[in-house]
């Protein structure tokens, strides 16, 4: 299940819930300010499914060093995905939003497709 993080005074992350926003390894590297919210989530889904290669990333405006960083980031993420299986995740997206990278993480961590 996905939870929305809040800045309300006194708010605490519920026990057992994992925050997956920036700057965690689970965060979406495709900035919504640059790509738009929905497109950044779609790019994230393709990225964690290993469907975005260097040529596509270059076409999106990433330089070689950024592409290398994204490749290493993806490898670290892959080793940590099993830790999310069966867990609730938290990010800043409204719980009603259909565009959220946490949904992609929930799906992949529990054996589905991004």
């Amino acid at each position: 299940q996905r939870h929305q993080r809040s800045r309300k005074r006194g708010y605490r992350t519920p026990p057992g819930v994992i925050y997956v926003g920036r700057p965690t390894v689970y965060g979406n590297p495709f900035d919504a300010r640059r790509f738009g919210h929905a497109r950044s989530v779609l790019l994230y889904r393709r990225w964690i499914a290993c469907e975005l290669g260097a040529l596509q990333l270059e076409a999106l405006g990433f330089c070689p060093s950024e592409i290398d960083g994204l490749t290493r980031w993806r490898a670290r993420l892959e080793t940590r995905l099993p830790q999310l299986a069966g867990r609730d995740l938290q990010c800043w997206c409204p719980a009603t939003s259909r565009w959220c990278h946490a949904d992609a993480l929930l799906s992949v961590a529990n054996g589905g497709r991004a």
Side-chain angles (χ1 to χ4, degrees), residues 47-89:
W47 181 66
I48 65 171
C50 296
E51 295 173 356
L52 274 182
L55 291 176
Q56 290 94 347
L57 291 169
E58 187 176 354
L60 289 167
F62 289 96
C63 71
S65 63
E66 291 173 318
I67 293 169
D68 183 51
L70 285 169
T71 302
R72 286 183 280 120
W73 184 347
R74 173 68 181 79
R76 283 192 321 272
L77 172 63
E78 190 171 321
T79 64
R80 295 192 180 156
L81 280 174
Q83 297 171 4
L84 301 180
R87 305 290 297 272
D88 287 354
L89 306 182

Side-chain angles (χ1 to χ4, degrees), residues 35-51:
F35 297 105
H37 186 78
R39 187 171 182 214
S40 72
V41 173
L42 292 172
L43 288 169
Y44 186 80
R45 288 180 181 275
R46 291 187 60 206
W47 181 66
I48 65 171
C50 296
E51 295 173 356

Side-chain angles (χ1 to χ4, degrees), residues 19-24 26-33 40 73 92 101:
Y19 174 61
V20 295
R22 291 187 175 138
T24 71
Y26 307 111
N28 187 346
F30 303 100
D31 194 335
R33 292 172 294 196
S40 72
W73 184 347
W92 292 104
H101 81 287

